[in-house]
Amino acid sequence: MFKLVRMKETSTPIKEPSKAFIKALHHLLRPLVRLLLHFQITYPSLGNILKQLYVDVAERDFKLEGKAQTDSRISLLTGIHRKDVKRLREVSEEAYVPSATASLGSQIIARWLSDPAYLNAEGLPIALPKSGDKGLSFDQLVKEVAKQDIRSRAVLDEWVRLGVAKMDDKDHVVLNNDAFVPKHGFDDKAFFFGKHLHDHISASAHNLTNGEPPQFDRGVFYNNLTTESIETLRELIEVQATALLVSVNKEAKALQIDDRGKEGANQRFNLGAYFWVEEQAPKKDVEGKKEADDEK
């Protein structure tokens, strides 16, 4: 079954959230709560984070045109006591700064995957010698991207540790096919966890509130499949999704270069792909009872 998740005709804001929305919210938050408990983030701890976020979002995104955003209005919107609102508005939000690997590393990978000089005839990233005065090298690639004085050896050591790159039998640097997502390195995983889920939820929320133009948000889902069938699909998805990401990356890089200096060049996008598999929940007890009755 192929489903287009594009909501054009949702209801206008109402006093009480719909039961369908509350049900969707429960379903959405369940894996997040499971993750929070795994990392021992308790309900009171999460409550403090949410309180700060409620105030921050209300202050930034729910302003009235021509009017100052007051503590009283934020308290009305969020249900948070006015004294707490005043205190929280004075606390600066700590922006998360991605690690060097998550920022500089992603730029280096993007160059390696999009610059024709670093691609073979099939459009795949070539293996690079670590350094060299003649021809392309990993050292040259890093220098082309890094604005600050970053040693390519430090980048390479970290990439090998994370599983982003490896050395072949000729002592050349080889970019792994799954370089978009480091296998190790918790800070990097956490950064992309927040980035990708933020953007996916933003796209869905935009559609749910009748935002224009609708954002692309589609999914394919099936059930009643065997483990063998899932593995077949996993291999297909890995090949085709990676090909899509590499293709879009190449085109986006070319467009970004072409857009330099143009008025209105202030847009960003995020395209992602995910694949989730789990065992189906058992059938309803009623169905089991009906089957038992049929056997009598």
Side-chain angles (χ1 to χ4, degrees):
M1 174 170 57
F2 184 87
K3 184 178 180 181
L4 171 62
V5 188
R6 179 174 289 177
M7 298 162 237
K8 293 184 177 179
E9 299 181 357
T10 56
S11 58
T12 55
I14 50 179
K15 293 181 179 179
E16 294 292 336
S18 71
K19 291 182 179 179
F21 181 69
I22 295 299
K23 184 177 180 180
L25 198 59
H26 273 257
H27 190 61
L28 165 70
L29 292 175
R30 184 171 294 276
L32 180 59
V33 171
R34 188 183 304 123
L35 183 67
L36 293 171
L37 291 175
H38 174 81
F39 288 108
Q40 300 179 27
I41 298 178
T42 62
Y43 174 73
S45 298
L46 178 62
N48 290 331
I49 297 172
L50 285 175
K51 188 179 286 187
Q52 175 69 65
L53 281 172
Y54 262 77
V55 170
D56 186 60
V57 171
E59 181 173 16
R60 295 185 184 187
D61 301 338
F62 288 82
K63 295 179 179 178
L64 293 176
E65 189 175 354
K67 294 187 177 181
Q69 191 73 304
T70 64
D71 294 346
S72 294
R73 183 165 188 273
I74 293 176
S75 178
L76 176 66
L77 287 170
T78 63
I80 298 172
H81 195 282
R82 192 162 58 88
K83 290 182 179 179
D84 286 337
V85 170
K86 179 177 175 58
R87 174 179 58 82
L88 291 169
R89 291 182 77 182
E90 294 172 353
V91 177
S92 60
E93 183 183 1
E94 293 183 2
Y96 177 78
V97 180
S99 68
T101 304
S103 53
L104 175 61
S106 62
Q107 294 176 48
I108 296 172
I109 291 173
R111 172 67 67 88
W112 201 345
L113 290 170
S114 60
D115 191 330
Y118 291 96
L119 303 176
N120 61 20
E122 288 75 37
L124 299 174
I126 61 175
L128 295 171
K130 287 184 284 187
S131 60
D133 297 331
K134 297 180 181 179
L136 300 174
S137 68
F138 184 74
D139 182 59
Q140 177 183 330
L141 174 64
V142 174
K143 286 179 179 178
E144 288 176 0
V145 176
K147 295 180 180 179
Q148 63 271 47
D149 184 20
I150 298 292
R151 292 188 177 183
S152 61
R153 182 69 201 186
V155 176
L156 178 58
D157 288 345
E158 183 67 3
W159 278 18
V160 171
R161 184 184 73 82
L162 296 174
V164 171
K166 60 184 178 182
M167 307 304 299
D168 64 11
D169 53 2
K170 296 181 180 179
D171 205 29
H172 284 190
V173 185
V174 179
L175 183 67
N176 285 346
N177 291 331
D178 56 356
F180 290 102
V181 183
K183 291 183 178 178
H184 310 289
F186 182 81
D187 287 353
D188 294 337
K189 289 181 179 179
F191 170 72
F192 287 114
F193 167 78
K195 179 181 178 64
H196 294 322
L197 291 186
H198 168 276
D199 288 352
H200 193 174
I201 291 175
S202 295
S204 296
H206 174 88
N207 293 340
L208 197 61
T209 53
N210 295 323
E212 291 293 339
Q215 299 295 303
F216 185 87
D217 188 7
R218 298 177 181 178
V220 180
F221 48 93
Y222 279 81
N223 56 11
N224 300 327
L225 291 165
T226 63
T227 303
E228 291 74 19
S229 296
I230 288 294
E231 287 308 310
T232 299
L233 290 168
R234 189 192 304 277
E235 293 174 7
L236 174 69
I237 290 166
E238 182 175 345
V239 170
Q240 295 195 0
T242 300
L244 171 65
L245 294 175
V246 169
S247 174
V248 171
N249 173 76
K250 188 175 181 180
E251 179 68 14
K253 185 66 178 178
L255 290 170
Q256 184 189 57
I257 293 172
D258 186 57
D259 286 346
R260 283 176 183 166
K262 289 184 180 180
E263 185 178 353
N266 59 356
Q267 304 290 304
R268 77 170 185 90
F269 83 95
N270 187 6
L271 169 67
Y274 69 93
F275 181 52
W276 172 247
V277 179
E278 67 179 358
E279 190 173 322
Q280 293 171 213
K283 292 183 178 180
K284 299 277 187 182
D285 290 340
V286 238
E287 294 179 3
K289 184 178 184 303
K290 184 178 183 304
E291 291 172 3
D293 291 341
D294 291 343
E295 292 174 359
K296 288 181 180 178

